[in-house]
Amino acid sequence: MKRRVAHRLSSLTAAATLLAGVAFAAEGHGAHEPPSLTTSLLLPILNFAGFVFLLYWFAWPAFLSALAERRRLIENELSEADRAQREATEMRAEVAARRAHLAEEGERLAREFRAEAEADRARLLEEVRQSVERIRADARLLSEQESARAGRQIREQLAEQVIARVVAALRERLTREDEERFVRQFVSAVETGDLR
């Protein structure tokens, strides 16, 4: 296309030069004669008409072709811009959908975390309650065992004191003859098997 335009422009330049030469030659012949109104107006009009004709014949198709090419490029760019705008609109809608989904997902996760926290809290409270019950039961059992042991110790101490007093009282009251009599009764009971 550029070659066609260059060829037409060179042809147009050659034609314009030819017409200018013709006009110059026409003026040169009539140097002795005064120029007439017809020749003085006719040559510039012919020159202009030739220029317009050459412009129309050679440059106008190139100009129309350049305009058509420019129109095609603009239409392509407009269609690209429309496609890019549609893609941007789709991407914006997708981003808005993702944002809404993320908000819902965040709320769902917050609900799950709250539910898990409540479940953990309830579980920990139950474990603490069971631990407290075990500690109370252990303390009660230990207290009962300590009480029983203390009671036994007290009874043993009382029994030892009672026995010590009885022995002391018996030593004071028993005589040698009472002791011999008790020994004889014990030996006879052993022999007869009548121990009560």
Side-chain angles (χ1 to χ4, degrees):
M1 177 169 162
K2 287 183 179 180
R3 282 188 196 173
R4 256 174 68 193
V5 171
H7 178 66
R8 286 187 179 182
L9 284 177
S10 66
S11 299
L12 180 63
T13 306
T17 306
L18 181 65
L19 279 179
V22 168
F24 182 72
E27 284 180 14
H29 285 297
H32 320 321
E33 303 171 12
S36 69
L37 184 61
T38 312
T39 57
S40 65
L41 281 177
L42 182 64
L43 286 178
I45 290 173
L46 282 176
N47 194 6
F48 181 71
F51 176 73
V52 168
F53 174 75
L54 289 174
L55 186 65
Y56 176 75
W57 185 257
F58 293 108
W60 190 251
F63 180 69
L64 289 179
S65 167
L67 283 179
E69 180 67 21
R70 179 73 176 147
R71 179 183 179 126
R72 189 184 60 76
L73 288 174
I74 289 172
E75 286 175 350
N76 284 345
E77 288 176 3
L78 285 175
S79 67
E80 273 298 309
D82 287 342
R83 185 187 59 76
Q85 185 177 11
R86 281 193 307 273
E87 287 178 1
T89 303
E90 290 172 2
M91 289 175 78
R92 188 180 321 139
E94 184 179 329
V95 166
R98 283 184 184 173
R99 185 180 298 155
H101 178 70
L102 287 177
E104 292 172 4
E105 186 70 17
E107 290 175 8
R108 184 186 64 80
L109 287 174
R111 283 193 304 270
E112 286 180 5
F113 287 147
R114 272 191 231 111
E116 287 179 12
E118 285 297 320
D120 288 345
R121 180 178 168 268
R123 182 181 50 79
L124 288 174
L125 286 175
E126 180 61 25
E127 288 177 3
V128 167
R129 189 189 62 75
Q130 290 176 357
S131 294
V132 167
E133 287 299 320
R134 276 195 305 272
I135 290 170
R136 283 183 183 162
D138 290 346
R140 199 176 311 118
L141 181 63
L142 186 61
S143 171
E144 289 172 1
Q145 289 174 350
E146 286 296 318
S147 295
R149 189 175 63 79
R152 279 194 307 271
Q153 283 180 348
I154 290 172
R155 282 192 296 274
E156 288 173 2
Q157 287 175 356
L158 283 176
E160 287 175 4
Q161 288 175 359
V162 167
I163 290 172
R165 285 189 184 167
V166 168
V167 168
L170 284 177
R171 283 194 182 143
E172 288 177 5
R173 294 186 186 158
L174 285 178
T175 60
R176 183 103 177 129
E177 295 154 358
D178 291 329
E179 285 179 13
E180 289 176 3
R181 184 174 43 90
F182 285 139
V183 170
R184 279 193 303 272
Q185 286 176 352
F186 179 74
V187 171
S188 78
V190 169
E191 286 176 356
T192 60
D194 188 21
L195 288 174
R196 283 186 253 170

